[in-house]
Amino acid sequence: MPMLVSAKATAAPLRSNLLISHGSASRQTSATRHGGARTMSHGESPLDLLKRIRARSGASLAECSQALKEAHGDPRLALNRLAAKGHTGGRSRYDETAPLGSYGFDSYAQRVVDTCVQVLEEFLRPDDKPISAVVLHAQLGIPVSLVLVHGERGLAGNARVSVDVAPDPGPIPLTAGDPDPLLETFRYRFGFQETRPDVGLFDEEPALYWEVSSLPDSLYCLEMIRAAAFLARRLAADGYRVAPGCVAGYARQDLLLSDEQDQLALVQRQLKSLLADPEALRAFAGLCYVSAEGQRKLVELAAGT
């Protein structure tokens, strides 16, 4: 296992070419802001663009050409028109009336803790030396797949216990590159993504994406830090010796996040910056939490209360 590097939660530059209009969920793209439609990528011929649209939609070149003409040269709008007619390239059709759905970070965190407690009972003894660190590790993915318990040397030493775990992640993507219909639907409905979910991203870099420095990933990381802390408390309540100041963290690859307050501050800054629209904020809270309490606390965090 690679050495863990502790890191503070720092916000990377927000990647977005979309603007959320305050007080509504209307879409306003960089093209409409600047008065012109996007066309081909630099150096791309009209035929190459049509071929890309055909590959994405599954429509014929003639249908793609007509859709692009009707969209006044805007390839994303053309793809949306084709998807509305059923040309989705095999992707499931987007239903604009369907509920948004939820990752359920809160319910997943509980499954993680319950799973880890059950597994660790086979390896820990009440008379062991105090536990100095508990780390939930995702290895190369996003969901927790390994739990590490460190002894008296803390994170500087090898883990006393290292056990694979597999709590059900539900709709949380397994890796950052996996399709994520929940996030794509949210981004489309609230102006962070121009293309429909059944089209997928097409030359876009939305502000919301799965990376530790961005929402919703930064919020997920916060909940996993909290889950690790809750796991340490559960172990102490079950009679295992847990050292005062036991480190609780979430790790991915060789990055360790263990400062809950620092992570909380990052999430709050991102919520204030990206989700100023109350309707979008409430929907995002529902996207991330299944419980009314979790949703309420996220809205309060964004408001600074």
Side-chain angles (χ1 to χ4, degrees), residues 25 27 39 41 43 62 86 92 141 159 163 166 180 191 199 216 230 264 289-290 301-302:
R27 299 181 183 83
T39 53
S41 301
S92 299
V163 188
D180 185 356
V199 170
F230 184 43
L264 182 69
Y289 296 96
V290 293
L301 177 64

Side-chain angles (χ1 to χ4, degrees), residues 187-203:
R187 288 189 308 215
Y188 179 68
R189 290 184 181 180
F190 291 95
F192 292 91
Q193 175 176 324
E194 189 177 353
T195 47
R196 291 164 46 120
D198 49 7
V199 170
L201 293 178
F202 192 83
D203 298 339

Side-chain angles (χ1 to χ4, degrees), residues 53-177:
I53 294 174
R54 179 181 65 177
R56 177 61 64 90
S57 67
S60 67
L61 277 177
E63 290 170 316
C64 295
S65 179
Q66 180 61 32
L68 191 60
K69 180 179 179 181
E70 294 173 354
H72 304 289
D74 186 327
R76 297 176 199 159
L77 181 55
L79 281 164
N80 284 347
R81 287 174 176 269
L82 289 167
K85 295 178 180 179
H87 299 295
T88 63
R91 299 173 185 81
S92 299
R93 292 287 300 276
Y94 168 60
D95 181 359
E96 62 183 11
T97 66
L100 182 60
S102 179
Y103 294 119
F105 291 162
D106 43 358
S107 57
Y108 174 64
Q110 186 64 58
R111 291 197 298 276
V112 168
V113 172
D114 290 343
T115 299
C116 290
V117 167
Q118 183 177 7
V119 169
L120 289 173
E121 286 177 347
E122 301 180 25
F123 300 92
L124 298 178
R125 295 178 303 177
D127 58 348
D128 285 339
K129 291 183 177 180
I131 296 168
S132 62
V134 175
V135 178
L136 301 175
H137 207 305
Q139 302 190 80
L140 299 179
I142 293 174
V144 173
S145 57
L146 187 71
V147 57
L148 306 173
V149 175
H150 290 259
E152 57 186 350
R153 293 189 59 196
L155 295 172
N158 292 329
R160 178 194 301 168
V161 177
S162 174
V163 188
D164 291 332
V165 292
D168 181 9
I172 296 169
L174 299 182
T175 70

